[in-house]
Amino acid sequence: MLVDIQYLDGDEQQSTNNWKGVFSISSYTQYFNVDTDVVLNRLISSLYPISGDFFSKIDANPDLYGLVWISTTLVFAIASLGNCATYLMHRRSDHSTSWTFDVSYLNVAACSIYGYVLIVPLAYYFLLQYLGSNASLIRFWCLWGYSLFIFILSSFLLVIPFEFLRWTIILLGGGASASFVALNLRSYINESEITIVVISAFVLQMGLAIFIKMWFFA
């Protein structure tokens, strides 16, 4: 399986690294052909942000399976667990009124998570192409997709109805996710004149973490 991916990577990945290939669906089909062991290894790597070697691990066969699976799982996790958190807070503070499940959480989660994980890497890809850097859209999507995994784990802990603990959890999780993106992006770009790109990526990732906390676990 990996042999097939490596064989195709040279020709088909090239099509996703030009302006026309970005909008061609057929350019991406090969990136869903990945082993479970490979995905698990990359999930574990995303929990160790300081290594900064994620791009070297995915260089031969970057995948989009992780992006789709992780973002979809996160959407349902924060929507459902966010409702659980509001229920627990409601039980603690107000017994006089009934609690109802907020379906809008799912809509907001889908729009925000899918929008973020697709548009942000795409924006950085075009920005770095404009700046003359050798950027890879597939690798960027792969990086940002796996960076969301820690938010799935964090969302289960955010159900705990103690505000200080929730903020501690989301800031630690957001910091780890932001560091994972920023450090790997820095090692991939390796150009000091666009350090602002790395800093902005860190800030955006922290912004996503705070958004998840404020909207779904307020």
Side-chain angles (χ1 to χ4, degrees):
M1 182 180 296
L2 294 182
V3 174
D4 293 335
I5 294 176
Q6 292 173 359
Y7 177 78
L8 292 170
D9 187 68
D11 295 330
E12 293 197 26
Q13 186 172 322
Q14 185 177 0
S15 65
T16 60
N17 283 333
N18 57 58
W19 299 90
K20 184 178 180 181
V22 169
F23 303 102
S24 175
I25 296 178
S26 61
S27 301
Y28 305 107
T29 55
Q30 62 168 310
Y31 299 109
F32 291 90
N33 186 25
V34 62
D35 290 331
T36 303
D37 291 341
V38 174
V39 174
L40 290 176
N41 180 265
R42 293 173 181 180
L43 289 174
I44 295 173
S45 297
S46 70
L47 301 178
Y48 296 91
I50 61 175
S51 61
D53 61 348
F54 187 75
F55 280 119
S56 64
K57 293 181 178 180
I58 68 171
D59 187 61
N61 59 329
D63 72 274
L64 296 179
Y65 177 82
L67 172 97
V68 174
W69 176 79
I70 294 170
S71 57
T72 301
T73 303
L74 181 59
V75 165
F76 285 99
I78 61 178
S80 58
L81 294 174
N83 271 282
C84 290
T86 58
Y87 170 75
L88 293 176
M89 294 296 288
H90 177 81
R91 284 285 302 270
R92 293 186 62 199
S93 60
D94 187 3
H95 297 279
S96 61
T97 59
S98 60
W99 174 85
T100 56
F101 187 90
D102 193 345
V103 182
S104 66
Y105 273 28
L106 184 60
N107 297 328
V108 175
C111 292
S112 58
I113 298 302
Y114 288 135
Y116 181 88
V117 81
L118 292 175
I119 295 175
V120 170
L122 184 64
Y124 276 96
Y125 167 75
F126 285 128
L127 174 62
L128 292 175
Q129 286 282 340
Y130 174 78
L131 294 175
S133 180
N134 183 24
S136 168
L137 178 58
I138 294 297
R139 287 171 173 78
F140 281 6
W141 270 334
C142 186
L143 172 70
W144 261 274
Y146 282 97
S147 74
L148 300 182
F149 177 63
I150 196 169
F151 290 129
I152 298 176
L153 304 180
S154 300
S155 63
F156 285 91
L157 298 176
L158 291 174
V159 175
I160 301 173
F162 296 101
E163 195 65 8
F164 176 78
L165 185 57
R166 284 180 175 178
W167 275 110
T168 302
I169 292 169
I170 198 61
L171 290 177
L172 289 175
S177 179
S179 298
F180 174 73
V181 171
L183 293 177
N184 280 286
L185 196 60
R186 184 183 65 178
S187 66
Y188 182 77
I189 298 173
N190 197 27
E191 295 181 22
S192 58
E193 65 269 16
I194 51 178
T195 303
I196 187 63
V197 174
V198 176
I199 297 175
S200 64
F202 183 93
V203 172
L204 282 174
Q205 202 76 2
M206 285 300 299
L208 176 65
I210 295 173
F211 169 78
I212 291 174
K213 167 63 183 71
M214 295 294 292
W215 188 274
F216 299 99
F217 301 93

